[in-house]
Amino acid sequence: MPAMTIPPLPRCCTPLDDHWPFARPLAGAQLISTHFDPTRLADDDYRAAGVPAVRGVAKRQAEHLAGRLCAREALRRVTGVASVPAVGEDRAPQWPAQVSGSITHGQGWAAAIVAPARQWRGLGLDVEGILSSERAERLVGEILTNDELALIADLSPAQRAWRISLTFSLKESLFKALYPLVLTRFYFQEAELLSIDPAQQTARLRLLVDLSDAWPAGSELNGHYAELDEQILSLVAIAA
């Protein structure tokens, strides 16, 4: 079989990186990332990269392209086939049946994680900028439950902002990991962050609503997190 030809990266993306940012490994998983610069996006980049184009401003186009290029390389490493996940009607990436995956992008950085479905049936990856204290306090009522608010009541403004940012990211990762399994949307107030272990950079989350027979209210899941250049990266992985 001839070797697979992968188009060169566009100028708006840095070389792909396979650095694992979390304190604990995830068996079988490949995490690929890149930095992207929307000002360097060229009109022909999507066609040259072999990625279906999306509409939007340069930032939206660059982050989407960067995320799909990371996903393609992660898929190549896991499956041997460098495919690009399509966008479903619900706007979620459509992954091959034999894998689980997730894509995220933030402030000039994009990443994708892929792992065999026989090992991990759900993956959620999310990156978020660390909120300023002022913005964190404006959003806290949307993101945190009353019990979560009580846990951060005695923290300094900077510590509160960091914890609110972490909670936001972990709940986004939780949604990304569970949604393909339950096909039911749920929101920030319908899950809660129970605890974090700073030494291991892990977290424990709990559902507050019934999503399916397999995922009733009270179900608990583990999360991972890392801090990268003023951003928080989180991961929720559901074992098969």
Side-chain angles (χ1 to χ4, degrees):
M1 180 180 295
M4 194 178 307
T5 300
I6 299 176
L9 291 173
R11 290 190 307 126
C12 64
C13 294
T14 62
L16 300 180
D17 188 359
D18 61 2
H19 168 68
W20 183 259
F22 301 107
R24 291 186 175 184
L26 199 69
Q30 290 285 336
L31 192 154
I32 305 296
S33 65
T34 184
H35 289 86
F36 63 89
D37 180 355
T39 67
R40 294 173 63 86
L41 181 71
D43 292 340
D44 199 39
D45 278 347
Y46 269 92
R47 186 200 63 79
V51 176
V54 296
R55 295 180 179 179
V57 298
K59 177 181 179 297
R60 166 63 180 148
Q61 293 184 12
E63 66 189 14
H64 180 88
L65 178 58
R68 257 47 187 191
L69 294 175
C70 291
R72 181 170 66 190
E73 176 59 17
L75 280 166
R76 185 190 69 80
R77 296 190 184 198
V78 173
T79 70
V81 178
S83 59
V84 177
V87 180
E89 291 185 4
D90 55 5
R91 302 189 66 180
Q94 303 299 292
W95 299 97
Q98 71 268 36
V99 303
S100 295
S102 186
I103 302 172
T104 191
H105 37 69
Q107 301 167 359
W109 187 82
I113 187 170
V114 172
R118 67 178 183 275
Q119 292 175 275
W120 304 99
R121 56 187 171 131
L123 292 174
L125 185 71
D126 182 74
V127 66
E128 300 290 341
I130 298 176
L131 298 167
S132 67
S133 295
E134 294 77 11
R135 182 163 173 75
E137 295 304 331
R138 288 198 300 270
L139 296 175
V140 67
E142 301 175 25
I143 300 170
L144 270 63
T145 65
N146 288 335
D147 286 345
E148 289 171 324
L149 282 168
L151 290 175
I152 68 169
D154 296 330
L155 299 182
S156 70
Q159 290 172 327
R160 282 173 61 90
W162 188 88
R163 184 65 172 257
I164 293 165
S165 303
L166 174 64
T167 304
F168 184 100
S169 185
L170 281 164
K171 289 185 180 182
E172 287 283 352
S173 288
L174 179 67
F175 176 84
K176 290 182 178 182
L178 276 174
Y179 176 75
L181 304 180
V182 300
L183 298 178
T184 298
R185 294 192 174 275
F186 59 99
Y187 303 94
F188 291 119
Q189 294 289 331
E190 296 174 330
E192 64 183 357
L193 175 59
L194 297 174
S195 62
I196 62 172
D197 181 344
Q200 296 294 321
Q201 293 185 305
T202 57
R204 190 74 173 165
L205 299 113
R206 177 166 60 199
L207 289 177
L208 300 178
V209 294
D210 295 329
L211 296 180
S212 70
D213 290 343
W215 294 101
S219 299
E220 295 187 9
L221 302 95
N222 293 320
H224 307 257
Y225 66 90
E227 192 168 331
L228 305 171
D229 299 327
E230 298 302 314
Q231 298 190 89
I232 291 175
L233 181 68
S234 66
L235 170 67
V236 171
I238 301 172

